[in-house]
Amino acid sequence: MSKIKYSAIIGSLGQTYDRFMKCGYKDPELDKVEFPDVIKNLEKMQVLQGADLYQAPTGPLSDPDTVNEILTKSRLEASSVLPLVFGERRWQKGSISAADPEIRKAAMKLIKQNIDFNAKLVGSPSVDLWLGQDGFDYPLQTNYSKQWDYLIKNVRELADYNPEIKLTLEGKIREPRNRSLVDTTMTALMMCMEIDRPNVGVAIDTGHVFQSQQNVAQNIEIAARYGKLFMMHANDNYNLWDDDMIVGSLRLTEYLEMFYSLRKVQYDGFVSVDIFPYREDQYEATKQSVLNMKKYDEAVDRIGFERLGALIEEGDPCKITAVVREALFK
């Protein structure tokens, strides 16, 4: 078995909304659920080692000492923290790559506060730069060269602000912008090369890779080749959109390949469940996601890591199909 740890992104474990159900899909009482209760519910599942957080302006999630106390009691650790530079009206035209210098300044200030917050958390988790509003919607709307330059210079400045804190660029092809600036893992890697700081890497989200019609295992191995695989997020979708469904509810062989590649590159960090269970029980959906992933990881042992490697070198899809079927459906 690998040394992978599992966590869950807490931002989608409460009320869930979309543009058709602005009142929320869940019981309104969920709007009142606080961070300590979410962590207790995650602890009860007994399948996680961590929680992916965000820094709130007020309440328990605004104070690192309180966060440390709550997580320690539940024997969990913060796996990553997400700066909220996408969900307010002021970020609608971007954050650290926005054309407006005052918006860029405000985004940098917020992310630096997030870096300070992370530095006080047990384990000093990474800061995930998912820049959902940084991109464009229409042709002839954006100075692409300046936008790229703003991002490179600002991430470099953030990296130098505290070199002990890792920063991850998370690629996503689109949403909420029609075209994202950090659109794929490969774009994120190219940015990492230009930023040229050891504490800047990538977070690979399986659903974002599927949405961009790419292969997760390939993304993993290329990112690891350059020492930039810092974080993994896991979910499932139908390739057309970032559906954020239960991990492994649609795919089997691709997730088996993913865990083979994670073993191959000796990844021992977190795989964080990043789902949006609109109509499902959010904790049960999270638990089933982790249990699925553990079985995929076990399947690498059942088939044999070395045997899988040999099959890949041989490259015969008929033989691979037979081996996977016989191992999983005896």
Side-chain angles (χ1 to χ4, degrees):
M1 288 290 290
S2 64
K3 297 179 181 178
I4 288 171
K5 298 175 287 186
Y6 294 96
S7 63
I9 294 178
I10 69 168
S12 57
L13 295 180
Q15 187 59 269
T16 50
Y17 312 85
D18 63 22
R19 58 180 176 159
F20 301 104
M21 192 74 73
K22 295 181 180 180
C23 61
Y25 280 88
K26 309 289 188 184
D27 188 317
E29 289 299 311
L30 269 179
D31 294 319
K32 303 175 185 177
V33 175
E34 297 288 344
F35 171 63
D37 299 313
V38 173
I39 296 303
K40 286 180 182 177
N41 288 332
L42 293 180
E43 180 189 6
K44 290 176 184 176
M45 290 162 44
Q46 298 185 329
V47 295
L48 298 174
Q49 293 77 48
D52 252 38
L53 313 176
Y54 57 90
Q55 183 187 11
T58 60
L61 270 168
S62 66
D63 178 51
D65 292 333
T66 302
V67 171
N68 283 332
E69 182 181 355
I70 291 169
L71 290 177
T72 300
K73 284 182 179 178
S74 293
R75 297 185 295 279
L76 298 173
E77 62 179 295
S79 50
S80 182
V81 182
L82 177 69
L84 300 179
V85 288
F86 50 84
E88 296 179 30
R89 192 173 292 113
R90 60 176 169 163
W91 311 123
Q92 63 179 286
K93 294 184 179 179
S95 61
I96 62 172
S97 73
D100 186 334
E102 292 303 313
I103 294 297
R104 296 199 304 274
K105 183 178 178 181
M108 290 293 285
K109 180 180 178 181
L110 189 150
I111 296 173
K112 286 178 180 179
Q113 289 174 349
N114 212 146
I115 291 172
D116 292 339
F117 178 80
N118 283 35
K120 295 176 182 177
L121 295 178
V122 174
S124 299
S126 59
V127 172
D128 183 32
L129 298 178
W130 180 68
L131 306 173
Q133 300 288 4
D134 289 81
F136 58 96
D137 299 309
Y138 294 92
L140 302 176
Q141 180 187 36
T142 303
N143 186 321
Y144 306 115
S145 299
K146 282 187 176 180
Q147 187 182 54
W148 185 283
D149 194 49
Y150 292 146
L151 184 139
I152 297 300
K153 289 181 178 178
N154 283 331
V155 175
R156 189 179 290 146
E157 180 180 329
L158 292 169
D160 291 340
Y161 179 71
N162 187 340
E164 299 302 313
I165 299 296
K166 289 183 176 180
L167 307 176
T168 58
L169 290 167
E170 181 179 346
K172 183 177 181 181
I173 199 77
R174 60 172 303 186
E175 192 200 21
R177 299 308 291 264
N178 286 329
R179 295 291 182 268
S180 300
L181 178 55
V182 189
D183 54 4
T184 64
T185 300
M186 302 310 171
T187 297
L189 279 173
M190 184 163 54
M191 290 171 170
C192 287
M193 298 304 111
E194 187 172 350
I195 292 164
D196 193 24
R197 294 296 185 270
N199 59 325
V200 178
V202 301
I204 295 178
D205 183 298
T206 62
H208 298 174
V209 176
F210 296 144
Q211 185 188 10
S212 60
Q213 311 295 312
Q214 294 186 354
N215 179 280
V216 173
Q218 182 198 35
N219 275 232
I220 287 169
E221 293 193 23
I222 300 304
R225 175 186 181 91
Y226 296 99
K228 295 298 184 182
L229 181 59
F230 288 2
M231 186 68 184
M232 291 291 306
H233 295 170
N235 50 76
D236 220 329
N237 65 44
Y238 286 105
N239 286 88
L240 298 175
W241 196 255
D242 185 30
D243 301 305
D244 281 333
M245 297 166 71
I246 295 169
V247 180
S249 55
L250 300 177
R251 287 171 172 78
L252 191 156
T253 310
E254 285 172 287
Y255 266 108
L256 171 61
E257 182 186 39
M258 167 182 144
F259 277 92
Y260 168 80
S261 290
L262 289 174
R263 191 87 61 94
K264 180 180 177 181
V265 304
Q266 300 181 329
Y267 181 75
D268 60 358
F270 277 97
V271 177
S272 189
V273 177
D274 184 1
I275 60 175
F276 238 89
Y278 290 102
R279 302 166 183 85
E280 301 76 45
D281 179 278
Q282 62 270 45
Y283 297 105
E284 185 61 26
T286 298
K287 182 177 181 179
Q288 293 304 320
S289 293
V290 176
L291 292 177
N292 277 350
M293 288 192 284
K294 288 187 173 184
K295 285 299 181 183
Y296 292 128
D297 198 15
E298 290 173 13
V300 174
D301 289 319
R302 187 178 303 171
I303 297 171
F305 178 79
E306 298 297 334
R307 187 184 182 196
L308 275 171
L311 285 166
I312 290 169
E313 290 300 321
E314 190 173 348
D316 183 343
C318 296
K319 187 174 290 186
I320 292 166
T321 299
V323 167
V324 171
R325 181 180 64 248
E326 291 165 7
L328 300 182
F329 301 107
K330 285 186 177 180

